[in-house]
Amino acid sequence: MEVNEPIVAYGKKKFTEEEYLQMEKAATQTHEYYKGEIFQMHGHGNLLAMSCASMRHNVIFSNLFSAIAILLKGKFCQPYGPDMRINIPENTLYTYPDISIFCGEPQASALDEDTVVQPTVLIEILSPSTRNYDRGVKFMSYRDIPSLREYVLVDTDAVRIEAFRLNSSGHWELEEYKSLNSQLSLTSIQVTIPVADIYERTKIQEIAP
């Protein structure tokens, strides 16, 4: 399947953040905004393969989000799904992570009460059309978030989870999970989830050693 970066929507014209937010309220699909440009995610390839990937994406999201929500019930931190728009004032990015976790009451951005800032954990479930973007440019943008402590990427083609954590020296460290017998640890919110539970009902296999 072909892998694509986000493509520019609405032509090449530069937009203000206020214009983007106004347009997004009326849009039927969500878009990202970065430094004056508005982007839409777009994938191409075999329709059957895309359908299977989309199904696995949805199953993994359901498994992971429900597990986190149960483990955080009644606690200080709260997970939100892909309808939650976040903004990074440090670099202007507006985006919709698959799962964002906020500790304390989510803080609204200065420009829009429906947009929030300062997440503690961000989780992206990889799709063929966004895999490289989520690992590269997007993670680089996410690292500008002062409150962010963990960034997690969950593969939909094999049992593989990449957890990036900010250490005490201010550097990002990677821990990978490739076994259904392992447990994903979200240390910043004190949550541990069996990897087998995350991939339940997906029929995704472990990567051969």
Side-chain angles (χ1 to χ4, degrees), residues 179-198:
S179 170
L180 291 171
N181 295 321
S182 58
Q183 300 207 28
L184 170 64
S185 179
L186 300 177
T187 58
S188 63
I189 57 172
Q190 300 181 337
V191 161
T192 300
I193 305 166
V195 171
D197 290 358
I198 296 172

Side-chain angles (χ1 to χ4, degrees), residues 1-206:
M1 183 177 294
E2 197 175 322
V3 177
N4 297 276
E5 297 294 311
I7 62 173
V8 177
Y10 306 117
K12 295 293 184 180
K13 178 183 182 295
K14 294 285 187 177
F15 296 90
T16 66
E17 293 180 52
E18 291 85 353
E19 288 173 327
Y20 159 75
L21 290 166
Q22 189 63 37
M23 294 169 72
E24 196 69 348
K25 291 182 188 300
T28 57
Q29 295 181 328
T30 57
H31 300 80
E32 292 188 344
Y33 173 95
Y34 185 65
K35 294 185 177 180
E37 292 186 306
I38 297 174
F39 299 89
Q40 62 183 4
M41 306 305 297
H42 192 66
H44 299 284
N46 179 276
L47 291 179
L48 178 58
M50 291 177 68
S51 176
C52 291
S54 177
M55 177 61 72
R56 292 193 297 265
H57 186 288
N58 288 332
V59 171
I60 290 171
F61 169 81
S62 178
N63 291 342
L64 186 52
F65 186 86
S66 60
I68 294 171
I70 289 170
L71 291 168
L72 290 179
K73 185 175 181 180
K75 297 185 179 180
F76 186 63
C77 302
Q78 177 76 26
Y80 296 87
D83 290 334
M84 177 68 88
R85 181 172 57 237
I86 72 163
N87 171 232
I88 307 173
E90 290 76 11
N91 57 37
T92 78
L93 178 66
Y94 287 81
T95 187
Y96 298 82
D98 286 316
I99 300 174
S100 53
I101 301 173
F102 291 80
C103 294
E105 189 69 24
Q107 177 185 341
S109 77
L111 294 179
D112 181 61
E113 62 180 10
D114 295 325
T115 305
V116 291
V117 297
Q118 306 301 339
T120 300
V121 180
L122 292 174
I123 301 173
E124 297 286 6
I125 300 168
L126 300 177
S127 64
S129 62
T130 64
R131 184 185 307 273
N132 289 349
Y133 175 58
D134 287 340
R135 282 200 178 106
V137 174
K138 200 167 199 178
F139 183 31
M140 182 176 65
S141 299
Y142 282 166
R143 293 199 296 269
D144 287 336
I145 302 173
S147 62
L148 189 66
R149 294 296 175 267
E150 292 178 274
Y151 179 49
V152 179
L153 298 170
V154 183
D155 209 315
T156 56
D157 288 329
V159 175
R160 180 176 179 178
I161 299 174
E162 299 166 273
F164 296 89
R165 301 187 185 93
L166 192 65
N167 66 22
S168 58
S169 301
H171 298 112
W172 288 92
E173 297 180 340
L174 168 64
E175 182 174 6
E176 292 184 287
Y177 302 83
K178 298 180 181 179
S179 170
L180 291 171
N181 295 321
S182 58
Q183 300 207 28
L184 170 64
S185 179
L186 300 177
T187 58
S188 63
I189 57 172
Q190 300 181 337
V191 161
T192 300
I193 305 166
V195 171
D197 290 358
I198 296 172
Y199 285 99
E200 185 179 4
R201 304 188 311 277
T202 64
K203 300 181 181 179
I204 295 174
Q205 302 299 311
E206 294 182 10

